Amino acid sequence: MANGFVPGLLLASKQVYTGAVDPSTKITPLGYLRMLLRRGMITNGNPNLVSASIENQGHIRNVTIKYKQRSTAGKSVTTDDCSIQATPGYLEATIPSLLFRKNGTFISYDEIRKYENEASQTVMVGRPAPPMGIMRELWDRVIDKGQGLLQDVDNDLLTAQAAAFGKNVTTGLNTAKTVNFPLSTASNPLAQGMTMLMTDIMDNEIPPTDVDIVGSGLINNVYMQMNLNTQNTKDQNYPNMFPNLYWDWNTTSKWGANQFAVFQRDAVQFININKWGGNFGGDKLSSWLFTLNLPLADSSNNNELSSFKFDAQLRHIDCPQEVEIDGVPTQVDRGWVLDLMANYNQFNIPTDAYNAADRLTGNNGTLRYTATNA
């Protein structure tokens, strides 16, 4: 009874645990990854702004970004003497190497036979995926593996960003600046809370309407109050400019408790590369190589994760044999293996985008904060 093979129990669980309520399909909101994917979709209809230059139908190219520092004050002259002032040349930045994640799934025919007929029905997952489709039970398990894999992707990107924050012009540092959201509503604190934060954004020459916030903890609580228009919020005379907040529980472990970050839109470019597109995908006799998107929506009903494109390999185990599953040699019967893969990274504005004499030297459109409530 405990193996989940009782038909009545299977039918009941599908009827009762629907949508995001089902624990096996609930996806913890991945705010940072969602922001990167959403920004790309809004900007050009594709979540990969840099990726299109790197990968074309499976062909991978090295890409270098050229950029030029802006002019600074003090370089002009006051004499009409036909002199020529130097023009800064272009600098170059190399796209970082890709990160990689894979999660493989195996299911045998003997196991599928124990389920209802629906488990062996095929699901068509698009081209260049196998034209015969994928068994529904395997497809359901791949979706589950996809959400777990994207948790790892989000954590990897948060770790990368932790080492890539730019300098805040108000402190001259790239470490977290404390912003206090005061408990008292008796006064109008112009140097605290959201007013201070939006002023910081302007001081860093970022349009206040052109930013997103990623974080968890107290900053999420602030937004809950603002959205509900509670007494504690409306009496503090917050500016009428509220960036989008992307809640990400993983920021606590990767950045620190109650830390959040401000991102100028497109200051961080997401890279999502697919190796099995074009002529590299398709039937390879022993397996199928293809790309696919998974119908993923997190527990807050956000579906930006569905735009992430995975590489995939579907291979058949033709004879009973021993394979390694989670590092343990395991005897298996005939069945299918689907490897879900991701090649990805992020690209920040270079740290020398502004020269040493510029007031924004070291700034890259990303600012780090710690929220307090005192």
Side-chain angles (χ1 to χ4, degrees):
M1 295 292 291
N3 58 17
F5 294 149
V6 180
L9 178 60
L10 286 174
L11 290 175
S13 65
K14 288 188 177 182
Q15 293 168 351
V16 175
Y17 300 124
T18 58
V21 178
D22 187 346
S24 69
T25 61
K26 183 176 288 188
I27 300 176
T28 303
L30 307 176
Y32 187 49
L33 180 57
R34 279 187 53 231
M35 181 201 72
L36 295 177
L37 290 167
R38 180 172 171 78
R39 282 298 113 215
M41 289 188 290
I42 290 176
T43 302
N44 69 346
N46 188 314
N48 308 311
L49 296 174
V50 180
S51 303
S53 299
I54 299 175
E55 180 257 320
N56 181 19
Q57 295 294 305
H59 290 268
I60 310 298
R61 295 168 292 189
N62 292 325
V63 172
T64 301
I65 305 295
K66 77 171 186 175
Y67 58 99
K68 185 167 59 177
Q69 296 174 333
R70 70 177 183 178
S71 299
T72 58
K75 300 298 183 180
S76 59
V77 297
T78 58
T79 303
D80 184 8
D81 56 4
C82 294
S83 62
I84 299 174
Q85 281 62 56
T87 299
Y90 282 101
L91 301 175
E92 293 185 350
T94 302
I95 301 297
S97 57
L98 294 174
L99 303 173
F100 177 78
R101 288 280 182 174
K102 182 187 79 71
N103 200 323
T105 301
F106 168 74
I107 189 167
S108 69
Y109 292 118
D110 284 346
E111 183 175 352
I112 294 177
R113 287 190 182 98
K114 298 175 184 179
Y115 295 107
E116 290 291 322
N117 292 343
E118 183 185 60
S120 63
Q121 294 173 352
T122 56
V123 177
M124 310 311 292
V125 296
R127 301 182 66 182
M132 68 283 192
I134 298 173
M135 286 188 171
R136 180 173 297 278
E137 182 65 24
L138 178 59
W139 175 244
D140 290 344
R141 295 188 184 194
V142 167
I143 293 176
D144 177 59
K145 290 294 185 75
Q147 73 90 11
L149 193 152
L150 288 186
Q151 293 279 348
D152 292 332
V153 170
D154 186 65
N155 277 308
D156 289 342
L157 294 172
L158 288 171
T159 298
Q161 182 55 42
F165 282 107
K167 289 184 180 180
N168 189 327
V169 71
T170 65
T171 63
L173 303 172
N174 63 357
T175 50
K177 177 180 178 179
T178 298
V179 51
N180 183 57
F181 295 91
L183 286 170
S184 174
T185 62
S187 60
N188 183 19
L190 295 178
Q192 298 186 59
M194 191 61 71
T195 302
M196 189 204 82
L197 182 63
M198 301 310 290
T199 302
D200 262 25
I201 291 171
M202 296 175 67
D203 283 342
N204 282 276
E205 300 186 25
I206 300 174
T209 57
D210 195 32
V211 296
D212 295 308
I213 291 178
V214 177
S216 60
L218 289 177
I219 188 63
N220 186 54
N221 299 350
V222 169
Y223 268 73
M224 289 176 63
Q225 286 197 340
M226 288 194 298
N227 292 334
L228 294 173
N229 195 29
T230 62
Q231 186 74 16
N232 190 46
T233 299
K234 64 183 182 182
D235 285 351
Q236 290 198 33
N237 192 26
Y238 281 133
N240 190 26
M241 299 175 289
F242 302 131
N244 290 325
L245 173 67
Y246 291 85
W247 181 75
D248 194 321
W249 182 82
N250 295 319
T251 57
T252 297
S253 62
K254 297 302 178 182
W255 295 349
N258 292 315
Q259 288 203 16
F260 67 94
V262 170
F263 295 91
Q264 184 170 9
R265 292 172 187 169
D266 298 332
V268 183
Q269 297 290 311
F270 179 57
I271 305 169
N272 182 196
I273 299 301
N274 295 109
K275 295 184 177 181
W276 306 131
N279 294 329
F280 296 93
D283 185 1
K284 305 304 177 184
L285 299 182
S286 61
S287 63
W288 278 85
L289 300 174
F290 57 104
T291 63
L292 82 163
N293 298 86
L294 295 176
L296 299 174
D298 65 28
S299 56
S300 297
N301 291 323
N302 299 300
N303 64 357
E304 289 91 347
L305 299 179
S306 64
S307 66
F308 189 100
K309 184 174 285 189
F310 296 90
D311 277 327
Q313 179 175 3
L314 180 67
R315 47 198 172 96
H316 191 254
I317 292 183
D318 297 318
C319 294
Q321 59 186 272
E322 185 178 90
V323 299
E324 190 172 282
I325 300 178
D326 277 341
V328 179
T330 305
Q331 187 69 31
V332 300
D333 206 335
R334 294 172 181 85
W336 291 100
V337 176
L338 197 150
D339 297 308
L340 199 63
M341 296 168 278
N343 299 279
Y344 58 96
N345 210 327
Q346 67 174 49
F347 177 72
N348 290 76
I349 293 175
T351 56
D352 61 351
Y354 301 97
N355 69 46
D358 197 301
R359 65 180 297 271
L360 290 184
T361 183
N363 185 286
N364 68 359
T366 68
L367 308 172
R368 189 173 186 175
Y369 292 91
T370 299
T372 58
N373 182 219

